Amino acid sequence: MGVKDRDRFSTATRIRLLGEQTAARVYRSQTKRQARRSRLTGRAALLALVLCTMVVALAYPMRQYVSQRAEIADLQREQRQARERVEQLRDLKARWQDDAYAEQQIRRRLHYVRPGETGYVVVDPGAAKQSRADLGAAGRPWYANVWEGVDKSDASDQ
């Protein structure tokens, strides 16, 4: 056996070989870990930060823009309704300019009759009973009426 064979089986040689193998494994695992970390570079982090800043900076103005557009739509709808109401009132004014329409409304609303005509007013019996029921409440003290209103509202809830 030569010196080479003896060194091959010596403890120092075996420990040195084990150390080299272990160092190679550690180096391989560190390079894998660094490869995984290298996906997020400083440039990518800066880009993400800029994008987040832009989103935050634009969020409030966009919300204001959307709410103002909704308010404009509401105001346009109100304006359209007001124009329609003005048209209705103009039509009503034009109708009142007609003497026949004015006479018809005066007869219907004020119960006017022409000279020589006989006017009749038909009273609904149900309305008369209802008005008598209202008169019964006037004869009681106010707190009794309030209490009766509370009782009626409780009964309607149930």
Side-chain angles (χ1 to χ4, degrees):
M1 280 190 140
V3 175
K4 247 184 177 184
D5 288 337
R6 205 175 343 128
D7 283 344
R8 187 172 160 211
F9 295 110
S10 71
T11 307
T13 305
R14 280 192 228 147
I15 290 175
R16 188 177 37 126
L17 284 174
L18 278 174
E20 289 173 0
Q21 290 172 355
T22 306
R25 281 190 220 131
V26 168
Y27 178 73
R28 274 187 260 133
S29 68
Q30 284 179 352
T31 56
K32 287 180 184 176
R33 198 175 304 137
Q34 287 175 352
R36 279 188 237 130
R37 286 185 191 163
S38 65
R39 288 182 184 172
L40 182 64
T41 63
R43 287 182 183 173
L46 182 64
L47 179 64
L49 180 66
V50 167
L51 287 175
C52 289
T53 305
M54 294 296 290
V55 166
V56 169
L58 292 176
Y60 183 74
M62 286 302 294
R63 187 177 70 114
Q64 289 295 321
Y65 174 77
V66 169
S67 67
Q68 287 175 359
R69 294 302 301 171
E71 186 176 347
I72 288 170
D74 288 342
L75 290 173
Q76 288 174 343
R77 181 182 46 78
E78 288 177 13
Q79 184 181 22
R80 187 175 53 252
Q81 289 174 349
R83 285 184 182 153
E84 290 171 2
R85 179 70 179 142
V86 166
E87 284 298 317
Q88 290 172 353
L89 291 173
R90 283 185 182 153
D91 291 344
L92 185 61
K93 181 182 176 185
R95 276 191 256 144
W96 276 100
Q97 298 297 325
D98 183 22
D99 291 336
Y101 180 77
E103 182 180 344
Q104 176 192 13
Q105 292 300 315
I106 290 169
R107 285 173 163 253
R108 188 174 64 84
R109 293 181 185 188
L110 302 176
H111 306 289
Y112 277 23
V113 292
R114 290 184 169 258
E117 291 180 351
T118 306
Y120 294 98
V121 177
V122 179
V123 179
D124 183 22
K129 288 180 184 177
Q130 186 179 13
S131 65
R132 286 189 193 123
D134 293 339
L135 289 176
R140 293 183 296 194
W142 65 270
Y143 50 85
N145 293 334
V146 170
W147 192 251
E148 182 183 349
V150 171
D151 287 340
K152 284 182 182 178
S153 68
D154 282 344
S156 67
D157 288 343
Q158 295 172 356

